[in-house]
Amino acid sequence: MQTCRRDMIGGETIRINQSKGKGVTAESAEIDQETAWRMMLGIVNGQRDTRLKRFADDAWQLPEQMTEQAMHLFERYLPLCQPPGTPWVIGQLGQSLDGRIATDSGESRYINDPEGIEHLHRLRALVDAVIIGSGTAAADDPQLTVRAVPGDNPVRVVLDRERKLPNSLGLFSDDAAPTVRVVRTSGLAEPPSEQVKELVIAPSEAGACPIRALVGALQARGLSRVLVEGGGLTVSRFLEAGQLNRLHLIVAPVILGSGLPAFTMSPLDQLDDALRPDFRRFELGRDTLFDLILE
C-alpha cells in the first residue's frame, strides 16, 4: 500500500512505500536519522541513493522503513536537496517576534535556540557557497563552516566592496574553507592567504552590488547552490532582486522592542503588493521555522 503525505501549504509531496501490516519501529527500521542525512548529502554530491526516487512532479518516494526522526529530517530537508549544477539560492535569518535580528548595539548571539544552529549547519552542508555581508563579517566573524553535522564546508563569500574588512578576520586567515571576497574594483593588495580569492563585480548605477550579476558570476565559478546567511540588508537585497528560491525565517519567542530589523526593502503603497509566499512550518526547539517558497 502506498501512502502520501502532503504539506498543508507548500505543494510538496513525500510518498512513502509501506507494505500493509508492516509497522515502522526503531528496532526494525532500516534508516535512522544519521542515515537519512547521509542519503540527502548523496543527492547534493551527485550520488543519489537508489532508495530515494524523484518523480516528474517533484514528489519524492521514500524507503519503506525508517524511524520517526528520519522521517522528520526528510520532510524538512529533502525539498532543499539540489543536484550539482542546479541554480538555486536560499536565504536565512533568525529573528525575534517583533522582527529584530540584533540589538541596537549589534548583539545577536543568541536570539534563537541551539536547534537553530544545527539547522544552519545543515543548510551550509547543502550548498556550494554561503554569502554574508560586510556588517555581519565585522560584527561576528563567523566561521561559516559545517561543524554540528556531517557535510562539506561551502565556499565562503564575503561582500566587502571597499576592502574595509581587516585581513586578520578568521574568514580571511583560518584556511578552514576557500573564501571569496567580492569587491567593486580590481586592486593591487595581496590576498591574505592562498585560500582567499577576489571577485570583482562592477557596481550598478546606484553604486550597489548588482545581485543578479553576483549570482551569475558565482554560477560561472561552479557555485550554483547558494545560501545567503545574512545580515538583514544582504538578505533583503536578494529578496527584492527576486533572486531567492526559498527563505528560511526562524522566529524566536522573544521581544526586543528595538534593534536591527530583519528586512529593509523599498516601501509599499498598497498591501496588495506585499509578498505572501506559500510556506511550510516546523518547530525548532522553542523557535518556529518558516520555510518560505518563493520560486
Side-chain angles (χ1 to χ4, degrees), residues 32-38 40-41 69-70 72-74 76-77 80 90 92 94 110 112-127 144-152 154 227 229 248 250 283-285 287 289:
D32 57 15
Q33 182 173 334
E34 181 178 352
T35 302
W37 178 242
R38 293 193 180 278
M40 287 186 278
L41 289 180
Q69 292 81 2
H72 290 164
L73 206 67
F74 277 130
R76 187 178 302 166
Y77 296 105
L80 311 180
I90 181 171
Q92 188 280 153
Y110 289 101
N112 298 109
D113 275 2
E115 289 85 351
I117 300 299
E118 178 181 312
H119 171 71
L120 182 56
H121 284 220
R122 290 192 189 277
L123 292 183
R124 291 174 184 171
L126 298 178
V127 298
L144 303 182
T145 54
V146 180
R147 304 182 303 281
V149 297
D152 296 331
L227 167 63
E229 191 170 312
H248 274 199
I250 304 176
E283 292 183 1
L284 282 180
D287 298 345
L289 165 64

Side-chain angles (χ1 to χ4, degrees), residues 73-105:
L73 206 67
F74 277 130
E75 286 181 317
R76 187 178 302 166
Y77 296 105
L78 191 54
L80 311 180
C81 296
Q82 305 296 325
T86 303
W88 193 78
V89 184
I90 181 171
Q92 188 280 153
L93 284 175
Q95 68 167 52
S96 62
L97 281 173
D98 53 342
R100 308 292 178 174
I101 60 173
T103 64
D104 287 319
S105 65

Side-chain angles (χ1 to χ4, degrees), residues 153-174:
N153 293 331
V155 173
R156 305 178 295 193
V157 180
V158 184
L159 306 183
D160 185 23
R161 307 284 286 155
E162 307 296 338
R163 298 186 182 85
K164 292 183 178 180
L165 293 173
N167 288 339
S168 58
L169 285 180
L171 282 166
F172 298 141
S173 60
D174 63 10

Side-chain angles (χ1 to χ4, degrees), residues 15 56 60 66 72 97 114 153 182 194-195 208 217 229 242 264 277 285:
R15 298 172 182 164
W60 286 92
M66 70 190 78
H72 290 164
L97 281 173
N153 293 331
V182 178
E194 293 183 357
Q195 289 283 83
E229 191 170 312
T264 303

Side-chain angles (χ1 to χ4, degrees), residues 176-194:
T179 302
V180 175
R181 182 187 237 159
V182 178
V183 297
R184 61 185 297 165
T185 58
S186 299
L188 300 177
E190 290 293 326
S193 76
E194 293 183 357

